Each structure stands twice: as structure tokens, then as C-alpha cells.
Amino acid sequence: MSVFISGASSGIGAACARAFGAAGKELVLVARRKDRVQALARDVAKAHGVQVHAFQLDVRDRKAVESFIEEHAGLLSAVEVLVNNAGLAAGLSAIQAGNVDEWERMIDTNLKGLLYVSRGLLPKLIEKSARGGNCHVVNIGSVAGRWTYPNGNVYCATKFGVRALSESMRLDLHGTGIRVTEIAPGMAETEFSEVRLGDKEKAKAVYAGMRPLSAEDVAETVLWCVGRPKHVNIQELVVFPTDQSSVTLVKRAEAKA
Ligand SMILES: NC(=O)c1ccc[n+]([C@@H]2O[C@H](COP(=O)([O-])OP(=O)(O)OC[C@H]3O[C@@H](n4cnc5c(N)ncnc54)[C@H](OP(=O)(O)O)[C@@H]3O)[C@@H](O)[C@H]2O)c1
């Protein structure tokens, strides 16, 4: 049995790879940054003595995803857990001033990418489950998929979409025995804000004076959901840092003069 993780080159995806590796699972990792994902694969394999397969894959590229699934059919037939994690926010501006290229990046990655990967892997999970496998899909949504916030518009819409797709997967997979969980994290300090804002200093300021979740905190929730007995499906799990009570309400310590 193996675990497939999209977007495993940093943040939550990389933390999931380390955590599943520590739990002795074989891994299939994909991301666009080949060097990063391959270096992680070597580290995890060395630390835990597990098999880790790492590939460069852009989930937005439908043809590339389809060829990948075809080319690695043997390897992928062992996948029991699919973690749809690859995703991003790009920019933070009002719809009326929005950057359409950024909108397309988010829609193409967070929705279409998740769909391409799922379309390729779900038939394999269905077969595996029919043969007694313990199959599970974990979609990384966001609290932005539950509540909108000013200038969050398109990112929020994609994550509302991930929630809808998670619910849809549960309906469409009904009776197959495959569990589907959506994890919706609040603020987690990863490369997320740097990717969104395009600037390390601005990204750092997002978490100033508060304690965000770590990627490892979120990975632990993923492992916990997958680790429940086969008849128990945690459908949705919302996890905020204690310092964040809603998408917009964040407790920050005063900056020292
Ligand atoms: N951090 C937060 O506060 C937070 C909160 C709620 C939800 N989330 C969600 O958590 C997920 C992981 O984000 P993160 O916080 O861990 O951010 P991150 O550190 O920036 O990681 C994002 C991962 O997604 C991969 N990725 C992006 N576009 C991709 C593409 N086209 N094809 C393949 N992989 C791609 C990146 O790898 P490459 O660049 O190498 O491709 C990277 O490994 C995302 O879905 C995000 O929306 C994050």
C-alpha cells in the first residue's frame, strides 16, 4: 500500500510525506520543483527505510497528468491514500482590481489540478478497495472554503469548490468503501504567504505576533483521519491556530518598542 501526495515539495505536503514515511508507508510524491521533491524523497527514505518515489508533475497540465498516470500505472495501482494537497493563493486584491492571470493560476491548480489527479487515480482506488484495500482521499481545503474575507474572492471560491468536490466525491464513491476527508486549515506558516504575496518580508508579517499552525500540525490531522478504523470517516475537519478565532479575527501580541 502506498500514499500519493501532490504538492509534496514544501509545507503541508512535505510534512505529510515525512509523517507518512515515519509511519512506514511507501510514498509517491509529485510537485513542479523536481530537485526539492527528490531531495525530500531521499531524506524520508533514509530516515525511515521506506520506498519513496518522487516525480516532477504540474497538476495544471492535463496531458502531463494523464500521461503520468498511464506511464506509472503499475506503481499507482498500489496507492490506497490520495492526498490532494497541491494548491496556492496568488495575490490579494478586490475583484474589480483583480489580476486575471492570478485567478487562472488558482482555478487551474486548486480545482482543475485536483480534478485531473483525482480522475486518474480514483478508478485505481475503486479497484483497490474492491480487493479489500483501505482507501482514503484527503483533500486539503481551507477555512477560506467556509468563510470569505476581503480580497480573498477567487482563492475562497476555489476552496469552497474543494469543499463541494469533497462532498461530491463522498456521494459518487458511495458504497465503494473509500473514505473522503476534507481538511480545512486556518493560518499555517509554510511558503503559502510568500507564494501569495511574492515577498518574504510581507509573508513574515502575516504571522507577526501570533502563533500559526505549522505544516506538521496539519500533517498530524491528516494522519489522524487516515488512521481511524476503516468504518469511521472523518468527513470534514476544521483546524485553526488558537490565536485565530475566525478568518479575520487574529490575536497578536503588541510589537515591542
Ligand atoms: N498555509 C496556509 O495557511 C494554508 C491554509 C489553508 C489551506 N492551505 C492549503 O494547503 C495546501 C498546501 O499549501 P502550503 O501551505 O503547504 O503551501 P506551500 O508551502 O506553498 O506548498 C504548496 C505545494 O503545492 C505545490 N504546487 C503548487 N502548484 C502546483 C502545481 N501546479 N503542480 C504541482 N504542485 C503544485 C508546491 O510545489 P511546487 O511549487 O514545487 O510545484 C508546494 O509543494 C494548499 O492547497 C493550500 O491552499 C494552506
Side-chain angles (χ1 to χ4, degrees), residues 7 9-10 12 32-33 58-59 85 141 155 159 185-186 188 190-191:
S9 61
S10 84
I12 293 167
R32 290 167 304 175
R33 286 171 292 177
D58 184 336
V59 298
N85 163 76
Y155 178 65
K159 291 299 183 177
T190 60
E191 293 179 13

Side-chain angles (χ1 to χ4, degrees), residues 57 61-73:
L57 185 69
D61 185 338
R62 176 178 162 185
K63 284 216 158 32
V65 174
E66 287 170 355
S67 315
F68 174 82
I69 302 273
E70 221 180 284
E71 201 179 317
H72 300 285

Side-chain angles (χ1 to χ4, degrees), residues 97-161:
N99 177 320
V100 179
D101 289 336
E102 289 177 343
W103 295 355
E104 292 192 346
R105 259 175 80 200
M106 292 188 274
I107 293 165
D108 288 352
T109 311
N110 302 355
L111 288 174
K112 290 165 76 177
L114 181 148
L115 281 167
Y116 298 155
V117 171
S118 301
R119 177 65 186 87
L121 286 177
L122 286 181
K124 296 182 186 303
L125 261 67
I126 292 169
E127 270 181 39
K128 190 94 187 148
S129 183
R131 294 198 304 270
N134 183 4
C135 297
H136 204 140
V137 181
V138 179
N139 294 326
I140 305 298
S142 171
V143 295
R146 298 258 178 327
W147 302 278
T148 53
Y149 51 88
N151 302 326
N153 46 63
V154 177
Y155 178 65
C156 294
T158 64
K159 291 299 183 177
F160 271 72

